[in-house]
Amino acid sequence: MKRLFLIFTAIIAIAVPRTSAAGHGEGDDAGRIDPKEIIFEHLGDGYGWEVPFDHHHRIPLPVIVWGKDGLHVFSSARVTDGQTYRDGDASFRIAGKDSEYRGKIVEIAPDGSESRPFDLSVTKNVCALFITVIAVTAVLMTLVRYYRRNGYRAPRRGLGFVELLIDFIYGSVIKGTLGKNARRFAPYLLTVFFFIFGMNLFGLMVVFPGGANLTGNIAVTLVLALLTFLVTNIFGNRHYWKEIFWPDVPLWLKFPLPIMPVIEVFGMFTKPAALTVRLFANMMGGHMIVLVLTLLIFIFAAVSAVAGGVATAVSMLFSVFMLLIDVLVSFIQAYVFTMLSTIFISLANEEPHHEAAHKVETSK
């Protein structure tokens, strides 16, 4: 505990002079910070990966675009800091703040106008998706190889924790909800859980390969929700579709005006919308709180060194607390997404009550 206190004191001692210097930049704009710009830059996507503790340098990523004269592939380092890269007769750059294509690769015409090429670039979020897929696959395949070598002998340490998660999700969520259909949908649902959990954990890391806010990107959560939507509706049984287009309600509610069928069809699309927004909003909010707490250091340092020192101590304590909470939230959000997906799939495979009752009677 004493050693931890000394480390924390040293960090404050280093941070206070730097924040003070950043806040008192001789009156020019170079020493000032734009909290809004920093927050949305870290939460958004980009053509490079920020170098840890260095806001001015990035790890370059490949830019792949289809311009007016064909395919162009080059490093994002060629278009950083407002540079224009010329490849043959085409010129490219990252659009500035005043452009309608802000932050995106644009092609520059001879008259200076900008247009968006077909962009297939490996951005930070795309790279983070690949890293998450590789990491999750490596962990689960390691567990598979362990069981092939050791039979049913229980693993320990890290692999034991992974097995605990699998058993918990499968036993309490998937099998408990889907019953006899559990083995049919377990591969998809377990993949979704570990993929979301992995993205959440990588998003909490501040250094490469972490730092990408994947589940705080609504495009990523939308694709995950659409996958659940497709699995739910493609594998839905006849009873599910009957309840949508001809539900068991009084006839005047479905003919001649299809009031209930319209409501049921609308409900089909509200489910993936709820999955999308719930995961996106919770993870985005957690990242934003940590960023705001960190930026408070620089905001108060502009007032005085003492205010900066106090803000550093308070912000760091709350940031560490929020990061610990976010680890729990990362698991909870992956669990909730998987649980709701399981419930939606279960509802789409529910048997009619009279058929279920008949099967119970015959089993007796």
Side-chain angles (χ1 to χ4, degrees), residues 191-200 215 224 279 333-334 337:
T191 301
V192 166
F193 171 79
F194 280 101
F195 185 56
I196 295 176
F197 190 39
M199 288 191 296
N200 291 344
T215 46
L224 291 171
L279 181 58
Q333 291 306 314
F337 191 99

Side-chain angles (χ1 to χ4, degrees), residues 1-9:
M1 188 68 183
K2 182 178 179 181
R3 184 177 300 175
L4 182 62
F5 175 76
L6 291 176
I7 295 174
F8 182 68
T9 305

Side-chain angles (χ1 to χ4, degrees), residues 46-49 58-64 73-81 83 85 94 105 121-122:
Y47 291 93
W49 210 302
R58 291 172 177 264
I59 301 172
L61 295 172
V63 176
I64 307 170
V73 181
F74 53 91
S75 171
S76 63
R78 298 180 180 274
V79 290
T80 57
D81 300 325
Q83 300 178 47
Y85 173 65
I94 297 178
I105 290 287
S121 303
V122 180

Side-chain angles (χ1 to χ4, degrees), residues 138-347:
V139 170
L140 296 181
M141 291 307 296
T142 302
L143 184 62
V144 171
R145 288 194 298 270
Y146 175 87
Y147 277 119
R148 285 177 177 173
R149 292 195 306 264
N150 300 281
Y152 289 101
R153 181 182 176 185
R156 298 184 178 182
R157 299 181 181 178
L159 289 180
F161 178 72
V162 175
E163 184 196 38
L164 176 66
L165 288 178
I166 294 173
D167 184 65
F168 173 72
I169 298 299
Y170 181 78
S172 65
V173 178
I174 301 174
K175 190 174 182 179
T177 305
L178 291 173
K180 65 178 184 179
N181 291 320
R183 294 178 65 87
R184 183 184 181 190
F185 296 101
Y188 167 71
L189 294 168
L190 286 171
T191 301
V192 166
F193 171 79
F194 280 101
F195 185 56
I196 295 176
F197 190 39
M199 288 191 296
N200 291 344
L201 292 181
F202 275 116
L204 297 179
M205 299 169 59
V206 297
V207 296
F208 184 86
N213 185 32
L214 287 176
T215 46
N217 186 320
I218 197 167
V220 175
T221 60
L222 176 61
V223 171
L224 291 171
L226 286 177
L227 290 175
T228 294
F229 174 78
L230 291 175
V231 171
T232 300
N233 291 283
I234 290 174
F235 296 99
N237 58 22
R238 288 185 298 175
H239 177 68
Y240 168 71
W241 290 108
K242 175 186 173 297
E243 287 298 315
I244 290 178
F245 293 107
W246 197 257
D248 292 330
V249 295
L251 183 63
W252 63 272
L253 288 175
K254 51 189 176 183
F255 182 82
L257 293 177
I259 298 174
M260 285 304 298
V262 169
I263 293 175
E264 293 291 341
V265 170
F266 181 74
M268 289 172 55
F269 296 96
T270 57
K271 292 173 183 177
L275 286 176
T276 300
V277 175
R278 177 181 283 106
L279 181 58
F280 161 74
N282 281 283
M283 299 312 301
M284 169 71 83
H287 284 275
M288 188 170 290
I289 289 173
V290 174
L291 285 172
V292 170
L293 288 172
T294 304
L295 288 173
L296 284 177
I297 299 173
F298 300 94
I299 294 173
F300 280 99
V303 179
S304 68
V306 176
V310 174
T312 301
V314 175
S315 296
M316 288 186 65
L317 286 173
F318 275 100
S319 296
V320 171
F321 174 74
M322 282 304 304
L323 284 173
L324 294 175
I325 293 295
D326 278 343
V327 173
L328 179 61
V329 171
S330 297
F331 170 79
I332 292 175
Q333 291 306 314
Y335 173 81
V336 170
F337 191 99
T338 306
M339 180 183 66
L340 291 177
S341 297
T342 306
I343 292 174
F344 296 157
I345 294 172
S346 174
L347 292 174

Side-chain angles (χ1 to χ4, degrees), residues 102-154:
R102 176 181 176 179
K104 302 296 183 181
I105 290 287
V106 293
E107 186 173 359
I108 311 301
D111 60 356
S113 61
E114 298 178 346
S115 62
R116 279 282 285 151
F118 186 65
D119 196 348
L120 294 172
S121 303
V122 180
T123 61
K124 182 173 72 171
N125 283 349
V126 174
C127 185
L129 282 172
F130 291 151
I131 292 173
T132 304
V133 169
I134 293 171
V136 171
T137 303
V139 170
L140 296 181
M141 291 307 296
T142 302
L143 184 62
V144 171
R145 288 194 298 270
Y146 175 87
Y147 277 119
R148 285 177 177 173
R149 292 195 306 264
N150 300 281
Y152 289 101
R153 181 182 176 185

